Amino acid sequence: LDVSSRMTVLGQLWLRALIQLGGIGIVTRAALAAAALGRRTSLEVEEAAAGPTSLMPEGGAGALVRSVVRVTLAIEAIGAVLLWLIWRDTLGNAGAVWPAVFHAISAFCNAGFSTFRDNFAGQAGSLPTLAVVSLLIIAGGLGFLVFEDLQARLRGRRRRVTLHTRVVLIATALLIAGATPLYLFFEWDHTLASHGFVERVANAAFMAVTPRTAGFNTVDYEQISNPSLLLTLALMWIGGSPGSTAGGVKTTTAALLALLFLARLRGRDTVSFANRSVPDATVQRAVGLAVGGILLLFTFVFALLFTEIPSGSVVTDRESFVHLVFEAQSALGTVGLSMNKTADLSSPGRVLIAMLMFLGRVGPLAALEAMARRSRRKQPYRLGREDVLVG
C-alpha cells in the first residue's frame, strides 16, 4: 500500500505508534536476553564484569525500559529537527513537521515506511537528507548496549569499551566502507547514471546502509545489477547489531563466523579479537543462529515457489525465483525492500511472508533465551566422544 495516498492521517499515526512501540519493545527484550545470557557462575565473575551485562542500568526491567525510551526519543528528536530544517524550504514550516517526525522514527526503528509516494527516490539528490537518514539508521542498528557502553566510557566510569562494542563498531564500519565502493562500481553506469559524482557516492553509501535493515530506497531494486542484488542479499542477511531495532542474524554473528574461520586457518582452538578470547559458548550460539537463519530462509523460499509460481512454470521461471528469494530474505531480515513483488503475492504467499517477518524479528531472541535457559541447566555427564571427518 502507498502510505501517502492510501492511509489516512489516523492510519499514519497508528502506523507510527506501532513502529515506535515495536522498536522500543524489541530493544528492551533484546537487552533482557543479553542479561540472561550474561549470567555466569561465581567462578567466572571476571568475564561477567567485562561483558555487556555490566552495562545494564541498575533497578531492573523498569530502569532498563526508561533508559531505552530516553535514548530512543532523544535520538529521534534530534533526527526530526534536522529533517525539518532540511525540508521546510520545500514543504513549508508546518508541512515539514509530520514527514520529519515520521521519517525520523521510521529510520531509527529501521522500519523503512515512508510518507513519500516514491519512498526516497525523490530525495536522491538531497545529500543532507541522505546523510541524516543514514545516521539515524546506523544509530538504530548499533544497539542499546553500545550506547550505554560509550556513555560509560565518556563519563569515565569505564577505562575501555567492551569487546562487544568494538566488534559492533568495527563490523558496522567495515560493512559500510566495503559495500559503498562496490555499489558505486556496479551501479555507476546503471541506476546511478543520472547523478553527478558526489550524488553517486552519496546514493551508493545509502544503498550500503539501508539493507541493514531499514528498507528505504533511492533506486528501483528491480533494476539493479546482479552483483548489486547479491550484495544486497548478503547485507540483508547480516542485518544490524544485537539489542538494536534492526533484524538479520546480526553483525556480531557474522564477525564471529569470520573470526572462527580465521582461527581455524591459523590452527587455533579459540576465537580471539583485540587481545580478548571469545567464550566457546558464544561462538556456538553464533553458528547456531547463522545455520538457523539459512534453514529458515530455505524452507520458506521452497514453500513460496509452490504458492507463487504456477505448477507448469515452477521448474523454469528463474526471474520469479530470484524475486521470491529477495522477498523472503527481505522479510526474514525485516528489511522491507522489494523487487516490486509484494503486491503480486497470493494470499498464501502473504501469510508466509508475514510469518517469516515475525520469525525473523522474534525468532533469534527466542532462540537466545532458550539457549540461556539450557546453559544454566548443567548436565551431570558428557557422552563419549567420536570424531567425524569434515571438509
Side-chain angles (χ1 to χ4, degrees):
L1 298 178
D2 181 4
V3 174
S4 63
S5 63
R6 297 292 296 277
M7 279 192 170
T8 62
V9 174
L10 183 60
Q12 293 181 18
L13 284 169
W14 181 242
L15 178 61
R16 190 201 69 171
L18 288 173
I19 293 171
Q20 185 72 88
L21 292 173
I24 291 175
I26 208 70
V27 170
T28 304
R29 190 63 179 169
L32 291 173
L37 287 170
R39 294 174 188 148
R40 296 180 173 90
T41 63
S42 58
L43 295 177
E44 295 169 309
V45 172
E46 182 180 355
E47 289 186 46
T53 308
S54 61
L55 299 174
M56 295 297 172
E58 297 181 0
L64 175 64
V65 173
R66 288 191 295 271
S67 184
V68 169
V69 171
R70 185 169 58 250
V71 171
T72 299
L73 295 183
I75 295 176
E76 290 174 349
I78 294 172
V81 171
L82 292 175
L83 290 176
W84 177 79
L85 291 173
I86 295 170
W87 292 340
R88 64 177 180 170
D89 291 338
T90 56
L91 300 178
N93 289 333
V97 172
W98 174 244
V101 172
F102 186 94
H103 288 94
I105 295 174
S106 185
F108 181 77
C109 293
N110 279 231
F113 286 99
S114 174
T115 58
F116 298 142
R117 182 181 296 273
D118 57 357
N119 202 280
F120 271 69
Q123 302 292 327
S126 176
L127 303 188
T129 296
L130 298 184
V132 171
V133 173
S134 295
L135 289 175
L136 285 169
I137 295 170
I138 294 170
L142 289 179
F144 169 76
L145 294 176
V146 172
F147 286 114
E148 286 292 303
D149 191 16
L150 293 177
Q151 287 182 27
R153 178 66 182 88
L154 292 174
R155 294 172 181 173
R157 290 193 286 112
R158 299 181 69 92
R159 291 183 299 174
R160 57 184 292 275
V161 296
T162 62
L163 181 64
H164 170 80
T165 298
R166 292 189 181 192
V167 171
V168 167
L169 294 178
I170 292 175
T172 300
L174 288 177
L175 287 170
I176 297 173
T180 298
L182 290 176
Y183 278 122
L184 195 61
F185 177 75
F186 296 142
E187 302 302 316
W188 182 270
D189 293 322
H190 199 46
T191 57
L192 301 179
S194 61
H195 301 292
F197 176 78
V198 177
E199 290 179 351
R200 287 178 179 178
V201 174
N203 280 271
F206 192 78
M207 292 178 70
V209 170
T210 194
R212 299 178 321 99
T213 55
F216 293 118
N217 64 282
T218 57
V219 300
D220 185 353
Y221 275 82
E222 191 174 13
Q223 303 300 321
I224 63 175
S225 63
N226 286 330
S228 294
L229 178 62
L230 182 61
L231 179 59
T232 302
L233 287 171
L235 292 175
M236 289 195 297
W237 185 78
I238 294 172
S241 302
S244 73
T245 58
V249 299
K250 304 298 183 293
T251 54
T252 50
T253 297
L256 287 177
L257 292 177
L259 292 172
L260 175 62
F261 179 68
L262 291 176
R264 294 297 181 263
L265 285 180
R266 296 170 181 172
R268 298 176 180 175
D269 294 330
T270 58
V271 174
S272 60
F273 182 74
N275 296 321
R276 292 289 187 275
S277 60
V278 181
D280 291 338
T282 302
V283 178
Q284 291 174 11
R285 284 196 292 269
V287 174
L289 286 176
V291 173
I294 294 173
L295 292 177
L296 201 59
L297 177 64
F298 176 86
T299 301
F300 275 80
V301 169
F302 197 83
L304 286 168
L305 290 176
F306 290 95
T307 62
E308 304 309 306
I309 301 179
S311 58
S313 305
V314 71
V315 178
T316 59
D317 194 345
R318 294 289 185 268
E319 182 178 359
S320 294
F321 170 71
V322 172
H323 287 188
L324 290 175
V325 171
F326 191 93
E327 196 81 11
Q329 180 57 74
S330 180
L332 180 62
T334 62
V335 181
L337 292 176
S338 177
M339 297 177 71
N340 302 324
K341 182 69 176 177
T342 310
D344 299 329
L345 292 174
S346 65
S347 294
R350 294 181 185 186
V351 171
L352 288 172
I353 288 296
M355 291 172 58
L356 194 53
M357 286 190 289
F358 181 79
L359 292 173
R361 181 64 278 189
V362 304
L365 289 179
L368 287 175
E369 290 175 334
M371 293 177 190
R373 288 194 297 269
R374 298 292 188 276
S375 65
R376 291 195 293 271
R377 299 173 185 172
K378 300 297 183 181
Q379 287 185 333
Y381 63 90
R382 176 179 59 81
L383 298 175
R385 290 178 176 172
E386 185 173 352
D387 208 354
V388 177
L389 292 176
V390 296

